[in-house]
C-alpha cells in the first residue's frame, strides 16, 4: 500500500470560489480524519469518519465546510465561498481505530491559498 | 480545556549534541501521548508514543517518558544528527482525535 494520498497538492483560488479536496486513505482503514494546519501552528482537528459515518465535527468547521465519505473509502472536503482565512494546509489521516491504540497515518496535505 | 504546550523553536544544535524538547499537556482523564515528526517536504509521521503513566516511548534514538505528576512528555536524544533536522509535534489524544502542540523546529548543523 502506498499510504494516504491527497489531491490536489496545491490549490490557489479566488475569494468566494468553492473548492473540493480529496483524500484516499490506506486500504482497510475504517477511520479517516481531516485536520487543518496554518503556518507556525500544529494541526487542528476538523472532523472524522468511522466508515461512512461522520462522528465528530469541530467548531472550526463552519457551515461553509462539508465533508463526505460516501462509501467508507475516499473522502472529500468542500469549502464553499472561500475566505482568505481559509488559507492553510489541509491534512488527511487514516487509521484502524482510536488514536491511543492505532497509529494515524497522515497524507502529504493540500495547501490552499485564497487570494 | 485540552491543550499541548511545547517549547518554541527553532532549536539549533551541533551534530552529536544532546537534545531536549519540552512538552506539557492539559487533558481530562488519562490520555495517550505522542511525538510526531515532519521532515522537510514530507508528511507527519509518528515518532513514538506512550499510553500510560511512567511508560517510555522510544524510536530512532529518541525517548520520552510519560510523567503524570508533571503532565509532561519531554523528547530527548543523546546525540543528534543532521538528518534529525525537522519539526517535532507533541500531541495527546482526546476521545477520538489528536490535539497537537504548535511544533518545535530542530536544526542540526555539522
Amino acid at each position: 500500500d502506498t499510504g494516504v494520498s491527497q489531491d490536489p497538492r496545491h490549490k490557489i483560488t479566488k475569494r468566494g470560489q468553492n473548492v473540493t479536496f480529496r483524500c484516499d486513505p490506506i486500504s482497510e482503514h475504517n477511520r479517516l480524519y481531516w485536520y487543518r494546519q496554518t503556518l507556525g501552528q500544529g494541526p487542528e482537528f476538523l472532523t472524522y469518519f468511522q466508515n461512512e459515518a461522520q462522528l465528530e465535527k469541530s467548531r472550526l468547521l463552519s457551515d461553509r465546510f462539508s465533508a463526505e465519505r460516501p462509501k467508507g473509502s475516499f473522502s472529500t472536503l468542500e469549502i464553499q465561498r472561500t475566505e482568505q482565512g481559509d488559507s492553510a494546509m489541509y491534512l488527511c489521516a487514516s487509521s484502524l481505530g482510536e488514536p491511543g491504540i492505532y497509529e494515524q497515518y497522515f497524507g502529504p496535505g493540500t495547501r490552499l491559498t485564497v487570494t | 480545556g485540552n491543550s499541548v504546550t511545547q517549547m518554541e523553536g527553532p532549536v539549533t544544535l551541533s551534530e552529536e549534541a544532546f537534545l531536549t524538547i519540552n512538552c506539557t499537556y492539559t487533558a481530562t482523564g488519562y490520555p495517550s501521548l505522542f511525538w510526531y515528526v515532519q521532515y522537510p517536504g514530507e508528511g507527519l509521521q509518528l515518532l513514538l508514543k506512550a499510553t500510560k503513566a511512567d511508560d517510555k516511548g522510544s524510536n530512532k534514538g529518541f525517548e520520552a517518558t510519560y510523567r503524570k505528576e508533571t503532565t509532561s512528555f519531554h523528547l530527548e536524544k543523546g546525540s543528534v544528527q543532521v538528518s534529525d533536522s525537522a519539526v517535532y509535534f507533541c500531541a495527546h489524544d482526546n476521545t477520538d482525535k489528536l490535539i497537537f502542540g504548535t511544533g518545535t523546529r530542530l536544526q542540526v548543523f555539522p
Side-chain angles (χ1 to χ4, degrees):
Chain A
D1 188 74
T2 56
V4 178
S5 61
Q6 293 187 244
D7 184 69
R9 295 290 303 276
H10 303 272
K11 180 70 177 177
I12 300 174
T13 191
K14 292 186 177 180
R15 189 178 51 173
Q17 298 295 304
N18 298 344
V19 294
T20 300
F21 310 141
R22 177 180 170 122
C23 171
D24 286 89
I26 294 172
S27 300
E28 311 304 322
H29 279 193
N30 49 27
R31 289 204 178 193
L32 188 148
Y33 300 80
W34 286 99
Y35 293 84
R36 181 174 70 185
Q37 185 176 17
T38 53
L39 201 61
Q41 300 297 313
E44 296 174 293
F45 169 79
L46 293 178
T47 188
Y48 92 95
F49 294 83
Q50 172 92 14
N51 299 313
E52 65 273 13
Q54 188 173 17
L55 295 187
E56 186 174 347
K57 293 194 290 186
S58 162
R59 284 174 292 180
L60 291 174
L61 216 63
S62 75
D63 291 345
R64 296 184 297 105
F65 288 71
S66 62
E68 295 183 342
R69 194 182 184 198
K71 296 181 181 178
S73 57
F74 73 92
S75 175
T76 58
L77 178 67
E78 181 184 16
I79 309 174
Q80 296 182 326
R81 305 181 303 282
T82 52
E83 301 173 355
Q84 287 188 322
D86 297 332
S87 295
M89 179 76 85
Y90 290 85
L91 300 172
C92 177
S94 71
S95 73
L96 287 169
E98 58 196 85
I101 299 174
Y102 298 99
E103 180 177 347
Q104 286 189 20
Y105 293 83
F106 283 80
T110 295
R111 182 170 297 284
L112 173 66
T113 302
V114 181
T115 62
Chain B
N2 298 292
S3 64
V4 174
T5 303
Q6 299 182 225
M7 61 188 289
E8 287 191 20
V11 173
T12 304
L13 295 172
S14 297
E15 208 165 22
E16 299 183 1
F18 184 84
L19 168 71
T20 299
I21 300 178
N22 290 337
C23 170
T24 57
Y25 66 91
T26 303
T28 53
Y30 303 98
S32 295
L33 303 175
F34 308 83
W35 277 100
Y36 275 79
V37 59
Q38 189 167 34
Y39 297 104
E42 298 184 18
L44 278 167
Q45 304 172 25
L46 179 65
L47 179 60
L48 54 83
K49 73 175 187 182
T51 57
K52 60 183 187 297
D54 300 323
D55 266 4
K56 178 185 285 188
S58 62
N59 186 25
K60 300 182 180 179
F62 290 89
E63 294 182 339
T65 301
Y66 190 142
R67 300 290 187 200
K68 180 167 167 282
E69 63 277 11
T70 54
T71 61
S72 65
F73 193 54
H74 305 320
L75 184 68
E76 296 182 337
K77 187 174 186 182
S79 176
V80 294
Q81 304 300 311
V82 173
S83 57
D84 293 327
S85 297
V87 182
Y88 293 81
F89 294 91
C90 184
H92 74 73
D93 61 348
N94 172 261
T95 55
D96 290 317
K97 59 189 175 288
L98 294 175
I99 307 295
F100 286 90
T102 54
T104 303
R105 181 175 299 279
L106 170 65
Q107 297 174 323
V108 181
F109 293 95

